[in-house]
């Protein structure tokens, strides 16, 4: 029954040019062009998955399908590859938009900063400005998510889930201590070795190796990620990994504090109550706005009483057996932000949850979104 359900879910594959880089986008659901869809049936929200490193979007298809089903197939679930981590097959057309064609190419697009701008460029050119967003960042995708919120605070993000978030002290983590010398000091040795071994390898052998690997990892082969064994893509993944080790050091507490919870500000058309002494700026969190007694009471029903929302905007999900962000990282952030929605996994789900725990993670997210999605 489950397999039949999965087969019924449409997933559309596109290769686009985004910021000057080939990019794979996998779209779960019947909606393929939200930007130009003006019909009344156009969904009001997009669930957007930002992968870890390597950023192979095909790995996240089972997770996207599970989440799409659990949200009653009402909202599209899209997954984007990282720039330089996917190359279009020779027979596949690369789509472009007029906005992206005229846009300036992103500097160092395969690096840490470039990958963040790459995701923002995609949202600008392929998603309507008024469409609500649920961002799901996995691993380094969590870091990208926080930086996107920081750089473009006007993004209409109602929730952001940071799964097994590598947002601090990456080189000090158990895996980081191993990866740092490999990715920072011996990166070019990896490049040359990968090129010499994989470049002459026939496509049939690569496909066989990938199929076997996907079976071991319990991943579907609906969109075969041939890029796993493509030297160009592996080099870009290693390059990004090296920058992660060097630059993802200090947790961005300022951005976390700003977006930890979302409050609903007053919506009076003049941005203030007609009888209040002081204007209530919409840009400030309501909980920080002082409640002042008006000098004159015109009528009780004319008073502007802010509607407070205490639902979280950020949800952190840490693992107990994660060598990239160990449990002590969870304990530290929980201590610093005790009021935040910061969770510790109780099911021993590994960092790479996409191998065997797609359903469990989709269940958690869908359950957390129930209240938000019921208002859409």
């Amino acid at each position: 029954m489950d397999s039949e359900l999965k087969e019924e879910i449409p997933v559309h594959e596109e290769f686009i040019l985004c910021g000057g880089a080939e990019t794979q986008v996998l779209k779960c659901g019947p909606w393929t062009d939200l930007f130009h869809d003006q019909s009344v049936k156009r969904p009001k929200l997009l669930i957007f998955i930002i992968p870890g490193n390597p950023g192979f979007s095909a790995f996240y298809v089972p997770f996207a399908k599970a989440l799409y089903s659990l949200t009653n197939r009402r909202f599209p679930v899209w997954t984007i590859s990282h720039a330089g981590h996917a190359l279009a097959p020779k027979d596949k057309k690369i789509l472009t938009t007029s906005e992206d064609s005229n846009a300036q190419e992103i500097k160092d697009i395969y690096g840490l900063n470039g990958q963040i701008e790459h995701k923002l460029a995609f949202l600008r050119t392929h998603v309507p400005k008024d469409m609500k967003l649920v961002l799901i960042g996995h691993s380094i995708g969590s870091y990208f998510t926080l930086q996107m919120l920081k750089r473009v605070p006007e993004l209409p993000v109602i929730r952001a889930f940071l799964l097994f978030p590598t947002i601090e002290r990456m080189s000090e983590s158990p895996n980081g201590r191993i990866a740092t010398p490999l990715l920072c000091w011996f990166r070019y040795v990896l490049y040359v070795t990968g090129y010499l071994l994989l470049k002459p390898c026939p496509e049939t052998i690569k496909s066989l190796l990938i199929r076997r690997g996907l079976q071991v990892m319990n991943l579907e082969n609906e969109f075969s990620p041939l890029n796993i064994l493509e030297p160009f893509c592996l080099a870009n993944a290693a390059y990004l990994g090296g920058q992660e080790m060097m630059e993802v050091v200090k947790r961005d507490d300022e951005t976390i504090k700003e977006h930890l919870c979302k409050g609903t500000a007053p919506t009076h058309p003049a941005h203030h109550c007609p009888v209040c002494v002081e204007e209530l700026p919409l840009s400030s969190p309501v909980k920080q706005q002082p409640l002042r007694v008006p000098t004159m009471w015109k009528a009780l029903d004319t008073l502007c009483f802010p509607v407070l929302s205490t639902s979280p905007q950020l949800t952190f999900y840490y693992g107990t057996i994660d060598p990239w962000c160990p449990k002590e990282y969870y304990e530290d952030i929980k201590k610093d932000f005790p009021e935040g929605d910061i969770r510790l996994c109780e099911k021993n789900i590994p960092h790479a949850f996409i191998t065997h725990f797609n359903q469990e993670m989709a269940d958690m997210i869908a359950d957390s979104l129930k209240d938000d999605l019921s208002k859409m």
Side-chain angles (χ1 to χ4, degrees):
M1 182 68 182
D2 289 341
S3 61
E4 291 178 5
L5 182 65
K6 290 178 182 178
E7 290 174 4
E8 292 172 3
I9 297 174
V11 180
H12 177 72
E13 180 187 41
E14 286 182 357
F15 281 89
I16 63 170
L17 195 66
C18 183
E22 290 182 30
T23 306
Q24 184 188 42
V25 183
L26 296 174
K27 303 179 176 182
C28 193
W31 308 277
T32 58
D33 187 356
L34 296 175
F35 204 85
H36 298 99
D37 184 358
Q38 301 300 324
S39 68
V40 294
K41 293 184 178 180
R42 191 190 80 179
K44 298 179 181 179
L45 177 139
L46 168 67
I47 300 174
F48 191 56
I49 301 171
I50 304 172
N53 186 16
F56 300 138
S57 51
F59 284 175
Y60 292 81
V61 169
F63 172 60
K65 284 184 173 184
L67 192 53
Y68 178 70
S69 293
L70 289 167
T71 52
N72 299 319
R73 306 187 178 207
R74 293 176 54 209
F75 308 103
V77 183
W78 290 5
T79 308
I80 188 172
S81 72
H82 293 327
H85 292 210
L87 291 175
K90 294 178 181 179
D91 59 344
K92 194 80 173 179
K93 183 180 178 181
I94 300 176
L95 305 177
T96 59
T97 65
S98 57
E99 292 87 353
D100 194 75
S101 299
N102 297 328
Q104 186 176 1
E105 289 192 1
I106 297 171
K107 183 180 179 181
D108 191 23
I109 193 169
Y110 304 137
L112 199 66
N113 177 71
Q115 296 289 359
I116 299 164
E117 293 299 326
H118 172 256
K119 310 305 176 290
L120 291 171
F122 175 82
L123 293 177
R124 279 195 300 268
T125 55
H126 292 82
V127 180
K129 289 183 180 179
D130 61 344
M131 178 159 286
K132 304 296 183 186
L133 295 170
V134 171
L135 301 181
I136 302 176
H138 174 222
S139 191
I140 195 61
S142 300
Y143 178 85
F144 294 164
T145 299
L146 279 180
Q147 288 299 309
M148 290 165 68
L149 292 172
K150 180 178 182 177
R151 297 182 188 193
V152 189
E154 64 270 21
L155 276 177
V157 177
I158 65 168
R159 290 291 293 272
F161 293 88
L162 311 184
L163 310 179
F164 306 96
T166 52
I167 57 174
E168 60 172 312
R169 295 177 282 174
M170 284 196 67
S171 63
E172 297 178 24
S173 67
N175 272 6
R177 287 194 288 268
I178 298 171
T180 298
L182 290 173
L183 297 175
C184 298
W185 306 338
F186 302 111
R187 179 158 51 95
Y188 291 102
V189 176
L190 294 176
Y191 291 172
V192 173
T193 304
Y195 186 86
L196 293 176
L197 290 176
L198 298 174
K199 196 63 178 177
C201 186
E203 293 296 321
T204 53
I205 301 298
K206 288 182 182 179
S207 297
L208 179 62
L209 292 173
I210 291 171
R211 280 199 301 271
R212 290 294 302 159
L214 292 176
Q215 288 174 3
V216 171
M217 293 187 293
N218 194 35
L219 287 171
E220 292 182 2
N221 197 23
E222 184 174 351
F223 298 97
S224 180
L226 287 173
N227 299 300
I228 297 174
L229 298 180
E230 176 60 48
F232 172 78
C233 298
L234 291 176
N236 287 328
Y239 175 66
L240 174 61
Q243 290 198 357
E244 291 173 29
M245 299 305 120
M246 292 185 290
E247 297 183 31
V248 182
V249 179
K250 190 175 184 227
R251 194 178 64 209
D252 190 348
D253 287 352
E254 185 178 342
T255 301
I256 293 172
K257 184 178 181 180
E258 184 177 348
H259 295 277
L260 203 60
C261 293
K262 57 177 183 284
T264 305
T267 56
H268 188 275
H271 291 190
H272 65 279
C273 172
V275 296
C276 285
V277 174
E278 190 173 40
E279 181 177 322
L280 298 177
L282 290 177
S283 59
S284 302
V286 174
K287 64 180 181 180
Q288 295 179 3
Q289 296 171 358
L291 180 63
R292 298 189 60 185
V293 179
T295 54
M296 286 187 62
W297 295 74
K298 294 183 179 180
L300 283 176
D301 59 356
T302 64
L303 288 176
C304 177
F305 290 106
V307 179
L308 298 179
S309 171
T310 57
S311 59
Q313 186 178 28
L314 288 178
T315 295
F316 295 84
Y317 193 87
Y318 283 84
T320 53
I321 54 171
D322 190 346
W324 282 111
C325 38
K327 188 178 176 181
E328 66 182 87
Y329 290 11
Y330 159 79
E331 293 168 347
D332 290 344
I333 192 173
K334 188 68 175 175
K335 179 181 177 181
D336 293 338
F337 298 99
E339 76 283 9
D341 186 14
I342 303 169
R343 311 180 190 183
L344 185 65
C345 176
E346 299 177 351
K347 300 179 180 179
N348 285 336
I349 297 176
H351 185 87
F353 72 89
I354 52 174
T355 55
H356 293 91
F357 296 92
N358 292 297
Q359 191 64 48
E360 289 83 353
M361 295 304 297
D363 286 337
M364 182 275 293
I365 292 175
D367 185 65
S368 300
L369 284 173
K370 277 183 181 177
D371 290 341
D372 293 288
L373 299 187
S374 66
K375 303 169 188 174
M376 303 299 295

